Amino acid sequence: MALLPHEVGTIVEHMFNGMAYGKMLFENGQPSDFIYLYTNPAFETLTGLSGVVGRRVSDVIPGIRESDPLLFDIFGRVARGGKPEKFEIHVEALGAWFSITVYNPKLDHFVAVFEAITERKLAERNLLRANERLSLAQRTAGAGVWDWDIPNGTLTWSDELFHLFGLDPATAIASFDTWRSVVHPEDRQRAEDVILACIRDHVPLFNEYRIVLPTGEVRWVDAFGDTAYDTGGNAQRMTGICIDTTARKQAEAQIEFLAHHDHLTRLPNRFVAKERLKMAMAYADRANEYVALLFLDLDSFKAINDSLGHNMGDLLLVEVSRRLQACLRETDTVSRQGGDEFLIILTHIQDIDAVTGSAAKIVDALAAPCEIEGHALEVTVSVGIAIYPSDAQDTETLMQQADTAMYHAKGRGGNDYTFFSEQMNVARVAALAIRAELRQALAGGEFALHYQPQIDLVSGRVLGAEALLRWHSPKRGLVLPDEFVFIAEDCGLIVPIGDWVLQEACRQAALWQQAGLPELTIAVNLSAMQFRRGNLQQSVVQALSASGLAPALLELELTESILITEAEAALETVRNLRSLGIRFAIDDFGTGYSSLAYLKRFPIDKLKIAQTFVQDMDTNPEDAAIVHAIIQMARALGLRTVAEGIETADTVEHLLLHHCDEAQGRFLSSPLPADAFRHYVLAAMQPSVPNKVLT
């Protein structure tokens, strides 16, 4: 199981200290067991246990809950969100002593870093006996041994202790002055105070401090000792050992860092950001200042991640993090929340206009292309801003307001920042209400399809129809897709709704044939969410099978964004469905991405020219030029073109002149209920009825 990133994993795998990562189990609020999720190689060496990952400790060591309840109490307390704890324990089930430091990486989980200290415990016990000082030194080969004759003030060090301090035993002198010169200046006074307190209180010595070698290298040392007293209680001698614990300290520091920072960008994680936000808000109250909370989401990150791979996406996130940090002051905080989302806390704000400047600086900084491994990557950002205390008085609400503002910025096209306003909350509440009603609409049969005819511009013949979703809400009346589809997409309801549209459109097209209409193509719009969360291929096949409609009469309309953002998932599905005979069109062509490379990759049959160009082409030369260019390109690629949104006869003539194939719009017909569409087709088939296209 991958617990840590590669470089940290390498450190942990080579640690001399054992490490275990586990999930705590509780019964009636009390710790009852835990499951090993990861152990490093030293774990097996120090405990003698192997093959424990994925197993309960009660299965690995039967009876341990009863023999060692303290272990469960401490692990459970920390796993429930308690502070890190360091303790020593004799594990009866293993017959060994361990020094354990346990942390809480996330709720109900713990990381335990430990070392076997059975030998040390034996040494400490023997240190209580002054007449065993020589045997203690022999047993602690590799550790530094020292002996202090307190009345005379003389010190004796083993050669190992000189080496530990980076000194030559042939030239250096064992003295307190020498010791003080080695101990880190920040730890010196405390280390002396600990020694004196242990003598005064008649307790064994445990001292932890840093030393600075002559090379400048800083290392950690644990010192253990015991004091002998005369019958009058006067201290006579202190004897002990010093052990280099640098490796353990480094591992502990790395684990501590990872518990509070994002492993990829090294930025503070969401836990740290939330704590800093609380502190910033408290300070702002005292100083009568503001705090600005910025919620950021990259606009096109998924497209880059999918097309160039996750490694490139990771490198881009690191570069984004670097640019964000460069935009901020030392007192500000930038945090990665996960994925491509970031949080920024701006403190000491006295003028809200300063926030505008900072937000604009961030947007501009990210808009510049990122040069990564030979690729010029362009990624923009949507920024939502909430102000404390103006917009909210607590962290949760403030974060929610910034998130709401961010979605408004993204909805306006991205690459921009937006301040929160109460109107956004009104819109959010309205969206939540629609979401709740949508959940009942499908089961309640409130959806219907209307069908807009698609007509051959040359012959005037009806070739097919586009199925358009309508919602007949008991509360709201007729609701058009623009008012609810984006909400259905946001909550995932678009997948079952999309499945219903496919089934109903295919069923109706088959019924028209049975009623005597000619074979007509039925076009159905697809959402990116159907590729991402649904099983689109299975849904299409089931709709065709249930209706009996020929696959060649079903046309699925894709947006350009689907072909870019869902490229990998979409390509395989489109090719599989195309092999069944199903046709594909690109909807609103010309309004999406500038790259047309997907036209080579995807088996497209038709381009639907966006109505924003078609509606103004008679009066706007630029729109006309775009329409002409799309038609010429499609003809060169062997694709048919459909002009959407036709409203005048002049537009029809213009399109005919430039060889557009098909037309769709209110001038020809508004979307019609199924029966009205049937009558429309029958009327169009009568030679006595004038045809709008031809007349």
Side-chain angles (χ1 to χ4, degrees):
M1 172 178 178
L3 175 68
L4 301 170
H6 174 71
E7 60 271 25
V8 179
T10 301
I11 293 173
V12 172
E13 291 289 305
H14 291 86
M15 282 171 48
F16 291 117
N17 299 85
M19 176 179 154
Y21 173 45
K23 176 178 175 58
M24 206 73 202
L25 304 179
F26 297 84
E27 289 183 5
N28 300 322
Q30 298 299 314
S32 61
D33 211 339
F34 61 85
I35 300 172
Y36 289 105
L37 300 179
Y38 170 84
T39 61
N40 70 348
F43 174 91
E44 181 174 345
T45 303
L46 297 178
T47 65
L49 303 173
S50 61
V52 302
V53 173
R55 300 173 60 192
R56 294 183 177 225
V57 68
S58 59
D59 294 331
V60 175
I61 312 173
I64 188 172
R65 180 68 182 90
E66 292 72 25
S67 63
D68 297 282
L70 179 62
L71 190 70
F72 286 74
D73 292 343
I74 297 176
F75 279 13
R77 184 163 60 243
V78 174
R80 274 294 168 89
K83 295 181 179 179
E85 294 192 25
K86 182 175 182 178
F87 62 101
E88 295 179 356
I89 186 171
H90 183 261
V91 180
E92 297 291 342
L94 297 178
W97 279 89
F98 296 92
S99 174
I100 303 175
T101 304
V102 59
Y103 307 88
N104 170 232
K106 61 180 180 178
L107 187 62
D108 292 343
H109 291 69
F110 66 86
V111 172
V113 178
F114 65 93
E115 57 181 333
I117 59 169
T118 303
E119 292 186 8
R120 195 195 81 196
K121 280 295 182 180
L122 292 173
E124 290 175 2
R125 185 178 62 187
N126 290 331
L127 279 172
L128 298 175
R129 305 187 186 100
N131 62 351
E132 293 185 3
R133 288 194 301 272
L134 180 59
S135 61
L136 170 65
Q138 293 173 343
R139 288 194 302 271
T140 56
V145 180
W146 49 271
D147 181 53
W148 177 22
D149 187 326
I150 297 174
N152 295 329
T154 58
L155 275 175
T156 303
W157 291 350
S158 69
D159 287 352
E160 288 81 2
L161 187 57
F162 280 103
H163 292 312
L164 179 61
F165 290 161
L167 305 174
D168 184 353
T171 57
I173 299 174
S175 68
F176 271 102
D177 287 340
T178 303
W179 176 75
R180 291 188 187 95
S181 70
V182 174
V183 178
H184 195 289
E186 295 178 4
D187 296 349
R188 192 175 297 151
Q189 187 61 53
R190 180 187 55 78
E192 285 194 54
D193 292 344
V194 169
I195 294 172
L196 297 176
C198 289
I199 294 174
R200 182 194 64 221
D201 297 336
H202 291 231
V203 296
L205 170 70
F206 171 70
N207 215 348
E208 185 180 56
Y209 52 85
R210 291 167 293 174
I211 60 174
V212 183
L213 304 188
T215 60
E217 180 184 0
V218 177
R219 303 192 69 78
W220 279 93
V221 168
D222 280 1
F224 306 91
D226 196 30
T227 306
Y229 301 86
D230 61 18
T231 55
N234 301 307
Q236 298 298 307
R237 194 173 221 94
M238 179 179 279
T239 305
I241 61 173
C242 289
I243 300 173
D244 186 341
T245 57
T246 305
R248 188 196 77 206
K249 278 290 186 180
Q250 290 173 340
E252 291 174 352
Q254 187 65 27
I255 293 172
E256 178 72 13
F257 180 87
L258 290 172
H260 296 89
H261 292 78
D262 173 54
H263 75 275
L264 176 64
T265 63
R266 319 300 281 180
L267 294 176
N269 59 19
R270 63 174 65 213
F271 171 79
V272 175
K274 194 171 183 179
E275 292 302 309
R276 291 187 184 179
L277 179 59
K278 290 178 181 177
M279 290 189 291
M281 292 163 65
Y283 181 86
D285 289 339
R286 296 193 299 271
N288 196 28
E289 295 177 343
Y290 298 100
V291 177
L293 183 67
L294 282 63
F295 199 98
L296 289 71
D297 184 271
L298 302 183
D299 294 324
S300 53
F301 177 75
K302 190 178 188 305
I304 294 172
N305 212 31
D306 288 346
S307 59
L308 297 179
H310 293 288
N311 182 61
M312 189 67 69
D314 287 348
L315 294 175
L316 177 59
L317 289 173
V318 172
E319 173 61 16
V320 167
S321 302
R322 186 193 66 77
R323 294 189 183 189
L324 291 176
Q325 289 174 299
C327 292
L328 304 179
R329 304 162 298 173
E330 290 186 1
T331 55
D332 301 327
T333 295
V334 56
S335 163
R336 184 185 177 206
Q337 299 295 286
D340 60 345
E341 295 180 341
F342 296 83
L343 202 67
I344 290 177
I345 304 168
L346 302 180
T347 59
H348 305 301
I349 303 296
Q350 298 177 347
D351 184 353
I352 301 301
D353 288 341
V355 180
T356 300
S358 297
K361 184 179 180 182
I362 289 168
V363 171
D364 290 343
L366 293 190
C370 300
E371 296 289 338
I372 299 178
E373 294 191 349
H375 295 272
L377 304 180
E378 295 188 7
V379 60
T380 57
V381 66
S382 297
V383 183
I385 307 170
I387 305 296
Y388 174 83
S390 307
D391 294 327
Q393 282 71 52
D394 62 89
T395 57
E396 294 298 333
T397 305
L398 193 69
M399 294 178 74
Q400 185 181 62
Q401 314 294 49
D403 181 61
T404 298
M406 183 276 292
Y407 275 105
H408 276 261
K410 188 172 287 290
R412 298 190 314 188
N415 194 28
D416 199 4
Y417 60 89
T418 300
F419 282 84
F420 172 79
S421 67
E422 282 302 327
Q423 287 75 15
M424 293 179 185
N425 258 349
V426 172
R428 186 185 184 97
V429 171
L432 290 174
I434 290 178
R435 177 183 298 190
E437 293 173 34
L438 281 175
R439 296 187 184 279
Q440 304 299 323
L442 188 59
E446 297 172 16
F447 290 115
L449 294 182
H450 286 193
Y451 303 89
Q452 187 166 39
Q454 295 176 333
I455 296 173
D456 184 273
L457 276 169
V458 175
S459 68
R461 185 167 60 90
V462 179
L463 300 177
E466 179 180 0
L468 299 170
L469 183 62
R470 299 291 185 264
W471 176 23
H472 295 282
S473 167
K475 294 182 179 179
R476 305 171 187 272
L478 179 63
V479 187
L480 298 179
D482 288 348
E483 300 178 56
F484 69 87
V485 165
F486 73 97
I487 298 174
E489 287 182 324
D490 187 53
C491 66
L493 284 173
I494 197 65
V495 174
I497 292 174
D499 288 346
W500 178 86
V501 171
L502 277 168
Q503 294 166 8
E504 179 63 16
C506 292
R507 185 189 70 84
Q508 186 58 63
L511 288 176
W512 284 330
Q513 284 188 47
Q514 295 170 16
L517 268 61
E519 290 187 343
L520 299 172
T521 299
I522 188 73
V524 176
N525 291 283
L526 296 180
S527 163
M529 200 65 66
Q530 290 172 271
F531 286 96
R532 196 178 307 157
R533 295 188 184 177
N535 190 332
L536 179 63
Q537 183 172 332
Q538 179 180 332
S539 298
V540 171
V541 171
Q542 287 179 345
L544 291 172
S545 176
S547 65
L549 186 69
L553 297 180
L554 176 61
E555 183 175 274
L556 300 179
E557 295 188 0
L558 313 170
T559 62
E560 291 178 272
S561 62
I562 291 177
L563 303 181
I564 299 297
T565 61
E566 307 296 329
E568 299 309 315
L571 181 58
E572 181 181 1
T573 301
V574 169
R575 285 177 174 170
N576 290 341
L577 293 174
R578 189 68 176 81
S579 68
L580 300 177
I582 295 165
R583 300 178 184 179
F584 286 89
I586 298 178
D587 194 20
D588 287 333
F589 186 82
T591 60
Y593 293 82
S594 59
S595 171
L596 301 178
Y598 57 80
L599 288 179
K600 294 173 59 178
R601 300 182 66 195
F602 287 84
I604 302 299
D605 300 281
K606 186 183 297 183
L607 302 182
K608 299 190 70 175
I609 307 170
Q611 62 180 347
T612 184
F613 304 126
V614 175
Q615 288 173 344
D616 296 330
M617 64 182 293
D618 294 326
T619 57
N620 189 322
E622 292 181 356
D623 285 343
I626 292 173
V627 173
H628 300 163
I630 292 173
I631 294 172
Q632 291 172 12
M633 181 186 67
R635 286 169 64 84
L637 295 173
L639 305 177
R640 290 181 65 81
T641 50
V642 183
E644 299 183 276
I646 294 176
E647 296 183 348
T648 67
D650 289 340
T651 303
V652 172
E653 290 184 15
H654 197 152
L655 291 167
L656 267 169
L657 181 63
H658 288 277
H659 307 289
C660 182
D661 298 303
E662 301 175 27
Q664 177 181 340
R666 285 198 298 266
F667 175 72
L668 304 170
S669 173
S670 297
L672 303 169
D675 196 51
F677 176 83
R678 181 176 66 85
H679 288 296
Y680 177 89
V681 175
L682 291 173
M685 294 169 61
Q686 301 300 318
S688 60
V689 178
N691 187 295
K692 275 189 176 183
V693 174
L694 299 179
T695 58

